[in-house]
């Protein structure tokens, strides 16, 4: 199956700092999603981004499908950004009937005041 | 839009009993729903995929007789943990996809199960 690697595994920032999280995947994908898991466990959809670039406020993401990686940028970080960030991908070639999301191990982000 | 709910949000049960968890898509019809399991400090692991009106497809290593999944309608899927044991204690999360050709998944808030 497809492999998903996220880096770094842990990241500690001071409030106001910028950061970049990386997701590498081993095969072509139909779907790539970034999530933020809050302290209560809820997975919050950040981006659906199998290719290209998107921005939403202080967050932006870029996926370079041909090189099999995606980047999540967090600018001017806030304490509320703390939590685990997951990248998940769905391998091409299955259509929607037989495919599934494979999650990376996540990046634990801590933003200190 | 694309809201998924789960009920209950947490449950404590005694060993040997069964527990049912509901997953609902509130503002869309979900042709496919997924059930995941997450242990502390770990990533999400897919347990099974269910399509409305069909039998669920279980991932390798997941006991289908222990984790019963029913996708009775386009807005409701249920996971029943039968004869629960302490090792079944975990965080169970469902997700839903809107329709054929649409890949984005929307996740419920999760259900924390503790078996004593």
């Amino acid at each position: 199956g497809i492999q998903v690697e996220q880096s770094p595994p842990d990241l500690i920032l001071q409030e106001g700092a910028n950061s970049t999280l990386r997701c590498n995947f081993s095969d072509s994908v139909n779907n790539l999603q970034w999530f933020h898991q809050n302290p209560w466990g809820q997975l919050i959809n950040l981006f659906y981004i199998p290719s290209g670039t998107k921005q939403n406020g202080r967050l932006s993401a870029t996926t370079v499908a041909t090189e099999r990686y995606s980047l999540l940028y967090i600018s001017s970080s806030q304490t509320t950004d703390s939590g685990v960030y997951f990248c998940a991908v769905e391998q091409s070639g299955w259509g929607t009937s037989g495919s599934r999301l494979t999650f990376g191990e996540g990046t634990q982000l801590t933003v200190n005041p | 839009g694309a809201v998924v709910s789960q009920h209950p949000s947490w449950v404590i049960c005694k060993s040997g009993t069964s527990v049912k968890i509901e997953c609902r898509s509130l503002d869309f019809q979900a042709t496919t729903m997924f059930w995941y399991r997450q242990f502390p400090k770990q990533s999400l692991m897919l347990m099974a995929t269910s399509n409305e009106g069909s039998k669920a497809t279980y991932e390798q290593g997941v006991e289908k007789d222990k984790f019963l999944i029913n996708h009775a309608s386009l807005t409701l899927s249920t996971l029943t943990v039968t004869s629960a044991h302490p090792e079944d204690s975990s965080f169970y999360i469902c997700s839903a996809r809107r329709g054929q050709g649409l890949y984005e998944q929307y996740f419920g808030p999760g259900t924390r199960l503790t078996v004593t």
Side-chain angles (χ1 to χ4, degrees):
Chain A
I2 195 166
Q3 305 299 311
V4 184
E5 291 183 1
Q6 289 187 244
S7 60
D10 297 279
L11 184 59
I12 300 175
L13 301 173
Q14 284 300 119
E15 203 167 22
N18 303 327
S19 62
T20 301
L21 282 58
R22 187 177 179 103
C23 173
N24 292 333
F25 45 96
S26 60
D27 208 336
S28 57
V29 298
N30 286 325
N31 179 8
L32 189 148
Q33 292 183 247
W34 282 98
F35 300 94
H36 175 210
Q37 189 168 39
N38 67 20
W40 298 272
Q42 169 81 62
L43 277 172
I44 299 164
N45 284 39
L46 297 178
F47 294 102
Y48 167 70
I49 187 165
S51 64
T53 297
K54 290 185 178 179
Q55 181 160 4
N56 184 3
R58 296 182 296 104
L59 303 181
S60 63
T62 295
T63 297
V64 183
T66 53
E67 296 188 21
R68 298 182 183 167
Y69 73 87
S70 183
L71 301 174
L72 176 69
Y73 305 96
I74 303 174
S75 64
S76 303
S77 58
Q78 301 175 359
T79 56
T80 52
D81 294 331
S82 296
V84 183
Y85 289 79
F86 286 107
C87 165
V89 304
E90 199 157 352
Q91 195 168 359
S92 297
W94 291 85
T96 52
S97 60
S99 62
R100 76 285 305 274
L101 275 179
T102 299
F103 280 75
E105 291 300 309
T107 293
Q108 174 73 58
L109 175 65
T110 303
V111 181
N112 292 320
Chain B
V3 179
V4 177
S5 71
Q6 275 184 248
H7 178 81
S9 54
W10 59 270
V11 58
I12 301 172
C13 71
K14 292 192 174 180
S15 191
T17 61
S18 295
V19 172
K20 180 184 282 188
I21 302 169
E22 291 187 351
C23 175
R24 294 182 185 271
S25 56
L26 297 185
D27 52 1
F28 66 100
Q29 293 188 327
T31 57
T32 306
M33 287 184 164
F34 304 84
W35 287 95
Y36 296 83
R37 185 172 180 176
Q38 186 181 31
F39 291 107
K41 304 292 186 185
Q42 294 187 22
S43 187
L44 280 75
M45 295 298 294
L46 180 66
M47 298 175 66
T49 302
S50 73
N51 292 292
E52 185 263 341
S54 306
K55 287 186 178 179
T57 302
Y58 291 81
E59 295 298 297
Q60 193 170 3
V62 177
E63 298 175 59
K64 57 184 69 176
D65 293 333
K66 180 166 191 60
F67 299 100
L68 301 179
I69 291 171
N70 186 357
H71 193 161
S73 76
L74 285 171
T75 59
L76 173 64
S77 177
T78 59
L79 168 68
T80 302
V81 183
T82 62
S83 188
H85 289 101
E87 57 265 30
D88 299 324
S89 298
S90 189
F91 192 53
Y92 293 87
I93 310 173
C94 73
S95 71
R97 185 152 57 196
R98 285 194 221 225
Q100 294 299 325
L102 299 175
Y103 290 98
E104 188 170 5
Q105 289 188 28
Y106 303 91
F107 283 75
T111 297
R112 196 163 301 280
L113 170 64
T114 301
V115 184
T116 61

